[in-house]
Structure formats: C-alpha cells, structure tokens
Amino acid sequence: MLSKKTKYAIRALIALGERYQKESVNISFIAETEKIPKKFLEQILLELRNAGFLYSKKGAGGGYSLLKDPQEINLVQVMRLTGGPIAQLPCVSLNFYQRCDECKEESTCGIRDTFKDVRDATLKILSETTIADLIAKEKRLALP
C-alpha cells in the first residue's frame, strides 16, 4: 500500500507538472486544490526539493516549480524517496533487504520466488511511468 506521504508527493508533482516551465506555484494553492494538509505538504515539498526534483523561490511571486521535466520523474524514484521499499516482502527488497524470520531457506522458498516476480513486474511499471504519463492519463480519463 502507498503511504499518504507518497500519494501526496505524487499529487503535488502532478500539480506542479501541469504547470511545468510556467510560474511558481504557491504551497497553499497545491494544498487546497489537491486536498493535502499544508503542514504535511511543506515537509513533502522540502524533501522533494532536497532530492533535486523541485526549485523553490521565496517572497512575492514565490512558490515551488519542477526542476526536472515531468518526463524525467518516474514513480519508482518518488516512492523510494517518500515511502521506502517497493517490494511486499523484506526478503525480496533491493534497497531495504531483511531476511524473513520464518523463512527456512531463501533459495527454495516458493513465496519469496513468487514475490520476486511481483517486485520485478512492479518495478518495471513504476520505472516506466512518469509524472508526465500520469498527467496525460488523467486528461484521457477526464474526457467524456
């Protein structure tokens, strides 16, 4: 399951991606339009800025804007930054590996082998899906 933090980060990136290479977007506008608690959004945007996804400008006319093209930001990057592991089991995680306590032998574990396949399929989809793809998909879905 996606954490709220990850969902909010993706929603904020979509909102900023829709305004890519235009004016900076005020945090209050994003919070209101995306229904994200402002204090939580501030933390998320700061984290995204520190990771090199966003640019922030202070003062009048300030706000946030994407530093990267929406086509360069894929979901796996956002999920790893905000939500931790992609894998559903710790023993198949690439970046957060932990041996499962109940596992007798990893090399012969059918559960582990199956969830490695799930992880690989999930990683493929998330690596190939960008913020630009989500923006385009939302536009298609909104058509009558």
Side-chain angles (χ1 to χ4, degrees):
M1 263 223 281
L2 287 180
S3 67
K4 278 201 184 280
K5 182 179 182 181
T6 300
K7 285 184 210 176
Y8 290 160
I10 293 169
R11 293 291 334 145
L13 288 168
I14 289 171
L16 293 167
E18 290 172 333
R19 293 155 186 85
Y20 181 60
Q21 294 187 322
K22 296 179 183 167
E23 73 285 343
S24 293
V25 181
N26 185 291
I27 198 167
S28 296
F29 176 80
I30 298 170
E32 190 176 310
T33 58
E34 299 301 324
K35 297 179 179 27
I36 302 171
K38 188 176 174 189
K39 283 287 185 196
F40 196 22
L41 181 60
E42 287 172 355
Q43 295 169 5
I44 293 166
L45 293 179
L46 182 63
E47 195 169 337
L48 290 169
R49 190 197 68 181
N50 290 341
F53 291 105
L54 305 179
Y55 168 79
S56 64
K57 182 179 168 189
K58 293 183 180 184
Y64 283 89
S65 55
L66 287 183
L67 197 54
K68 293 183 172 188
D69 188 303
Q71 293 178 356
E72 295 176 14
I73 303 171
N74 63 46
L75 293 181
V76 78
Q77 294 169 311
V78 179
M79 288 180 68
R80 284 197 170 129
L81 178 67
T82 60
I86 306 293
Q88 294 178 334
L89 293 176
C91 65
V92 298
S93 180
L94 296 174
N95 296 326
F96 299 91
Y97 170 84
Q98 286 184 338
R99 183 173 173 80
C100 293
D101 294 335
E102 60 280 344
C103 189
K104 292 179 219 158
E105 183 59 47
E106 283 186 350
S107 63
T108 59
C109 180
I111 296 169
R112 181 176 193 267
D113 193 59
T114 299
F115 279 88
K116 274 177 71 176
D117 293 341
V118 171
R119 177 207 64 203
D120 292 345
T122 302
L123 278 173
K124 180 175 176 14
I125 293 166
L126 295 174
S127 296
E128 294 173 357
T129 304
T130 66
I131 295 301
D133 294 330
L134 294 180
I135 292 167
K137 187 173 280 197
E138 286 188 357
K139 286 180 182 172
R140 278 193 315 272
L141 291 170
L143 293 175

